[in-house]
Every structure is written in C-alpha cells, then in structure tokens.
Amino acid sequence: GIQVEQSPPDLILQEGANSTLRCNFSDSVNNLQWFHQNPWGQLINLFYIPSGTKQNGRLSATTVATERYSLLYISSSQTTDSGVYFCAPTLSGSARQLTFGSGTQLTVLP
Amino acid sequence: EPEVTQTPSHQVTQMGQEVILRCVPISNHLYFYWYRQILGQKVEFLVSFYNNEISEKSEIFDDQFSVERPDGSNFTLKIRSTKLEDSAMYFCASTQGTQFFGPGTRLTVL
C-alpha cells in the first residue's frame, strides 16, 4: 500500500514562530487531507487539498501531487496550535479511505 | 454545521465480551468508514462501507469485526469477542469528498 512519511516527527516552537510540516507519499493520490488532533483526541479537518494551495487564516497548505508531497504552513503559532498534525492521502482507485502518516507532534511554548 | 456523532464516548469491557460502537454519519453522505488509533500511534483504516456493503477492508478487520447500517441513520461496528489489543480509539467517518470524523469512542478492554 501507499507509504506516507511526515517530518519532522516532533517540533517545539516559541509562540509567534512560523513552521512548515512536510508529508511525502509514495503513490498517486486523488485526495489529501490535513488534520489536527487536539489534546482530547479529536481529529479536526484543516484542509482537503488534492492539489494546489489553500489558505485558512494562519494556516496554509500546498500539495504538489506530481512530486508526491504536501506542505502545511503554520504562521504566528499560538499555544492552541499544539497537538499532532496528520497528513492523510487517498490512493487513486481506492474506496477513498485515508492512509495516515505517523504525524508531527507540535508543541508551542508561551 | 452537520457533524458525525459517535456513542458511547468511552466503553470499558471485559476480554471476550462483545461490543457495539455506534455512529451517525452526516445525513447526505454515502461513504462510511471505521478507523482505529492505538494510544500514541497513527490512525489506521479498518473498513469502508458504500451502498449497504463493505467496499474495502484492511488486514486488521478480521472475522471478529462486522459492520452494519441497521437503518437510514446509524452505522455500527461490532467486535464479537474483544481482546486486550483491541483497546484503542475508534473513529467513524463519512464523506462526499472531504472525510469528516466523529469524536471517537475510546474502547478499553480489561
């Protein structure tokens, strides 16, 4: 099956700093989502981004499907951004199930 | 905003007992999924369901697991004889494009 690698595995930032999280995947995909898992375990949709760039407030994401990677940018980080960020593509031709990466654990310090 | 709901939020059971986890997907969605997340690990796909039948399942989804859509709104996951290693957070999701996840059921098998 598709391999999904996220980097870095852990990231510690001072409040106000910017960061870039990366997701590499091994096969053609027809969908990709980014999630934030909060401390209560909930998976919060951030982006549905099979290709191109999207922005939502301080967050933006870019997927370059032809080169098999996606990036999540967090600007002016806040303590509430802490948690685990997962990238999850859908393999082309599948029943649309998501394959999750191992995540990036982000800690934003006040 | 429509959301996926799950009950119960936490289930504690004895090894060997049967459990049923319940989900109400978003009403106009046609694809439904179960995923699980063992504590500290990534989210893993279990099964997808479309048009009242399983469309894909993972290796994890063995004969101990079954899914059902008993009426027009509920979607259930049954584990017939729970094992210690079934302890995990179980997420239900539904989609018409973007997958939306429920808040999860934390299953603890003693």
Side-chain angles (χ1 to χ4, degrees):
Chain A
I2 187 172
Q3 303 299 312
V4 183
E5 294 182 359
Q6 291 188 243
S7 59
D10 297 280
L11 185 59
I12 299 175
L13 299 175
Q14 208 65 43
E15 198 167 29
N18 303 329
S19 61
T20 300
L21 280 55
R22 187 176 180 99
C23 172
N24 293 331
F25 41 93
S26 60
D27 290 289
S28 297
V29 300
N30 58 17
N31 176 23
L32 188 141
Q33 290 183 232
W34 281 95
F35 295 89
H36 175 216
Q37 188 165 41
N38 63 23
W40 296 270
Q42 292 180 308
L43 287 165
I44 310 299
N45 277 304
L46 297 177
F47 293 101
Y48 170 95
I49 186 162
S51 63
T53 297
K54 290 186 178 179
Q55 178 147 12
N56 184 3
R58 295 181 296 103
L59 303 182
S60 64
T62 295
T63 296
V64 184
T66 52
E67 297 187 21
R68 300 183 180 171
Y69 73 89
S70 184
L71 303 173
L72 178 70
Y73 306 95
I74 305 174
S75 65
S76 304
S77 56
Q78 301 175 357
T79 55
T80 51
D81 294 333
S82 295
V84 184
Y85 289 80
F86 288 107
C87 157
T90 299
L91 187 63
S92 296
S94 71
R96 308 189 190 184
Q97 69 267 24
L98 299 172
T99 300
F100 282 74
S102 298
T104 293
Q105 173 77 59
L106 175 65
T107 304
V108 181
L109 302 175
Chain B
E1 182 176 302
E3 58 181 18
V4 177
T5 60
Q6 291 185 243
T7 55
S9 56
H10 193 184
Q11 173 97 42
V12 180
T13 189
Q14 294 290 324
M15 189 169 56
Q17 295 296 303
E18 174 183 286
V19 295
I20 297 176
L21 310 183
R22 292 183 167 80
C23 169
V24 179
I26 295 173
S27 61
N28 64 339
H29 286 184
L30 300 179
Y31 291 83
F32 314 121
Y33 305 84
W34 284 100
Y35 296 81
R36 80 170 186 191
Q37 184 181 30
I38 294 171
L39 187 64
Q41 298 186 20
K42 63 182 177 181
V43 179
E44 300 173 290
F45 166 72
L46 292 178
V47 65
S48 59
F49 193 85
Y50 171 73
N51 201 23
N52 284 320
E53 61 182 22
I54 291 173
S55 48
E56 284 198 44
K57 58 184 181 180
S58 72
E59 293 176 352
I60 303 168
F61 194 86
D62 62 21
D63 292 344
Q64 293 298 312
F65 291 88
S66 62
V67 290
E68 195 176 40
R69 188 156 164 81
D71 53 42
S73 59
N74 290 285
F75 179 50
T76 62
L77 174 69
K78 181 192 293 186
I79 309 175
R80 289 189 183 81
S81 178
T82 50
K83 305 172 192 153
L84 296 176
E85 54 264 36
D86 293 328
S87 294
M89 180 78 92
Y90 288 81
F91 292 103
C92 172
S94 68
T95 184
Q96 277 293 79
T98 303
Q99 280 198 31
F100 290 91
F101 280 68
T105 293
R106 181 164 296 286
L107 176 65
T108 302
V109 182
L110 303 176

